[in-house]
Amino acid sequence: GISSPKGVSVTTIGIGSRAAKGKIAKGDLIVGVDGVTVTTIQQIKSVLVKKQPGESAQFIIDRKGKIQNLAI
Protein backbone atom coordinates (compact mmCIF):
# COMPACT_ATOMS: atom_id res chain seq x y z
CA GLY A 1 0.00 0.00 0.00
CA ILE A 2 0.91 3.63 -0.39
CA SER A 3 0.64 6.03 2.54
CA SER A 4 -1.11 9.36 2.07
CA PRO A 5 -2.45 12.11 4.35
CA LYS A 6 -5.94 10.66 3.92
CA GLY A 7 -5.21 6.95 4.43
CA VAL A 8 -3.40 3.97 2.93
CA SER A 9 -4.07 3.24 -0.74
CA VAL A 10 -4.42 -0.45 -1.58
CA THR A 11 -2.14 -1.25 -4.52
CA THR A 12 -2.18 -5.07 -4.47
CA ILE A 13 -4.28 -7.84 -2.92
CA GLY A 14 -2.92 -11.33 -2.38
CA ILE A 15 -5.03 -14.07 -3.94
CA GLY A 16 -6.83 -15.95 -1.17
CA SER A 17 -5.71 -13.43 1.47
CA ARG A 18 -7.96 -12.24 4.29
CA ALA A 19 -8.12 -8.86 2.54
CA ALA A 20 -9.39 -10.48 -0.67
CA LYS A 21 -11.91 -12.59 1.24
CA GLY A 22 -12.98 -9.47 3.18
CA LYS A 23 -13.73 -7.62 -0.06
CA ILE A 24 -10.93 -5.03 0.07
CA ALA A 25 -10.18 -4.03 -3.53
CA LYS A 26 -7.25 -2.52 -5.37
CA GLY A 27 -7.72 1.25 -5.31
CA ASP A 28 -9.50 1.31 -1.94
CA LEU A 29 -8.25 3.82 0.62
CA ILE A 30 -7.99 2.39 4.15
CA VAL A 31 -8.77 5.29 6.50
CA GLY A 32 -9.30 3.42 9.77
CA VAL A 33 -8.90 0.10 11.56
CA ASP A 34 -10.83 -0.75 14.74
CA GLY A 35 -11.67 2.91 15.35
CA VAL A 36 -8.10 4.15 14.85
CA THR A 37 -7.47 6.62 12.01
CA VAL A 38 -4.59 5.37 9.85
CA THR A 39 -2.39 7.09 7.27
CA THR A 40 0.54 4.63 7.16
CA ILE A 41 1.01 0.90 6.79
CA GLN A 42 2.85 0.90 10.13
CA GLN A 43 -0.26 2.25 11.87
CA ILE A 44 -2.36 -0.56 10.37
CA LYS A 45 0.19 -3.15 11.49
CA SER A 46 0.30 -1.72 15.04
CA VAL A 47 -3.46 -2.25 15.35
CA LEU A 48 -3.44 -5.71 13.77
CA VAL A 49 -0.55 -7.04 15.87
CA LYS A 50 -2.81 -6.83 18.93
CA LYS A 51 -5.31 -9.25 17.36
CA GLN A 52 -5.47 -12.94 18.14
CA PRO A 53 -5.06 -15.33 15.17
CA GLY A 54 -8.39 -15.56 13.37
CA GLU A 55 -9.83 -12.50 15.15
CA SER A 56 -11.36 -10.00 12.73
CA ALA A 57 -10.66 -6.29 12.51
CA GLN A 58 -13.06 -3.55 11.41
CA PHE A 59 -11.65 -1.67 8.41
CA ILE A 60 -13.06 1.68 7.31
CA ILE A 61 -12.59 1.98 3.56
CA ASP A 62 -13.07 4.90 1.20
CA ARG A 63 -14.04 3.34 -2.12
CA LYS A 64 -14.46 5.98 -4.82
CA GLY A 65 -15.78 8.49 -2.30
CA LYS A 66 -18.12 6.09 -0.48
CA ILE A 67 -17.24 5.03 3.07
CA GLN A 68 -17.66 1.32 3.84
CA ASN A 69 -17.07 -0.76 6.97
CA LEU A 70 -15.60 -4.20 6.36
CA ALA A 71 -14.92 -6.93 8.93
CA ILE A 72 -11.71 -8.68 7.94
Side-chain angles (χ1 to χ4, degrees):
I2 299 173
S3 298
S4 84
K6 296 182 180 181
V8 178
S9 179
V10 177
T11 57
T12 59
I13 299 288
I15 296 171
S17 68
R18 287 180 61 128
K21 292 175 185 174
K23 308 288 189 223
I24 289 181
K26 185 177 176 181
D28 285 350
L29 188 66
I30 301 170
V31 296
V33 181
D34 284 349
V36 177
T37 300
V38 295
T39 57
T40 68
I41 295 167
Q42 290 76 20
Q43 289 172 323
I44 294 172
K45 289 180 180 179
S46 71
V47 173
L48 297 180
V49 74
K50 299 172 187 170
K51 296 288 187 182
Q52 296 297 318
E55 185 180 5
S56 67
Q58 191 71 29
F59 281 71
I60 301 170
I61 305 296
D62 180 337
R63 181 174 292 159
K64 298 179 183 175
K66 294 184 179 180
I67 300 298
Q68 299 183 19
N69 293 299
L70 303 174
I72 301 187

